[in-house]
Amino acid sequence: MGCGLFPQGKSRPRMEDMMDTDSREKTLRMAAAVLEYRNRSAKALYDRLLEKGAEERDAAWAVARLQELGYLNDAEYGRLLVRDLCRRGYGPGRIRRYLKEKKLDGPDIELAMEEYVFQPEKLREYIDSRLRGRTGDRRELKRAADGLFRRGFGWDEIQSALREYALQMEEEL
């Protein structure tokens, strides 16, 4: 005999199932709030949910659900980061390190790096900002080269940019 709350033939939901659903929904809302504040990779979101007190299974479910709905896409997130870092003048080495810091995995990093476009003018701008139109002594050139290396450029690219800068300075004199 039913009490009228549940449709005929349906059994009463178990309390554990209802609590699981509530916990998952709460974690999903928490995940959405975290993403509203800042975009993250799936792994970074999962870790953040655990930091905020979510259960592991609920955090995993929320991340999977957001991926399923299209709100969480590591490959696209990585591509956005690469485009932004390229625009800001970073090289491939630094960009790869940054993507790892953001907890993207190897395949997503490789997909994202397809967006990388070498921009020699960014190296030139950096050198100009350091030397301010001077030819610079050996120590200043080394500092500029070290700065470019920290920005993720390779030594071949750096040497080429410094050579080009020196040639242009000679032409201007």
Side-chain angles (χ1 to χ4, degrees), residues 27 30-31 34-35 38 40-64 66-67 72 74 99-105:
T27 303
M30 187 187 321
V34 167
L35 287 177
R38 180 183 321 149
R40 296 172 191 264
S41 68
K43 174 72 173 124
L45 177 61
Y46 175 81
D47 290 347
R48 183 68 179 130
L49 292 172
L50 293 181
E51 288 171 13
K52 288 180 144 296
E55 296 292 324
E56 287 181 12
R57 63 183 163 74
D58 294 337
W61 179 84
V63 167
L66 288 170
Q67 286 174 320
L72 193 59
D74 283 357
L99 295 176
K100 286 178 186 174
E101 289 169 13
K102 294 298 179 182
K103 300 183 179 181
L104 290 169
D105 63 7

Side-chain angles (χ1 to χ4, degrees), residues 3-4 24 45 49 53 55 57 63-64 68 72 85 114 127 153:
C3 64
R24 283 182 172 178
L45 177 61
L49 292 172
E55 296 292 324
R57 63 183 163 74
V63 167
E68 179 184 312
L72 193 59
L85 293 170
E114 291 175 5
I127 294 169
F153 293 100

Side-chain angles (χ1 to χ4, degrees), residues 53-149:
E55 296 292 324
E56 287 181 12
R57 63 183 163 74
D58 294 337
W61 179 84
V63 167
R65 183 71 178 132
L66 288 170
Q67 286 174 320
E68 179 184 312
L69 294 171
Y71 292 111
L72 193 59
N73 183 331
D74 283 357
E76 185 57 33
Y77 174 57
R79 283 192 286 272
L80 290 171
L81 289 174
V82 169
R83 282 191 294 255
D84 179 54
L85 293 170
C86 256
R87 184 184 50 74
R88 291 172 36 200
Y90 289 96
R94 179 63 185 109
I95 292 172
R96 282 180 191 281
R97 286 191 305 273
Y98 189 77
L99 295 176
K100 286 178 186 174
E101 289 169 13
K102 294 298 179 182
K103 300 183 179 181
L104 290 169
D105 63 7
D108 288 324
I109 290 173
E110 292 312 312
L111 280 173
M113 287 304 292
E114 291 175 5
E115 293 290 316
Y116 178 75
V117 177
F118 177 64
Q119 301 172 342
E121 67 274 4
K122 294 295 184 180
L123 280 82
R124 170 59 193 230
E125 289 171 12
Y126 184 85
I127 294 169
D128 278 339
S129 74
R130 294 295 174 248
L131 300 178
R132 295 180 198 93
R134 300 182 325 269
T135 55
D137 64 13
R138 195 167 178 76
R139 201 168 117 223
E140 289 174 313
L141 290 172
K142 171 115 173 66
R143 263 195 235 145
D146 289 347
L148 286 170
F149 185 73

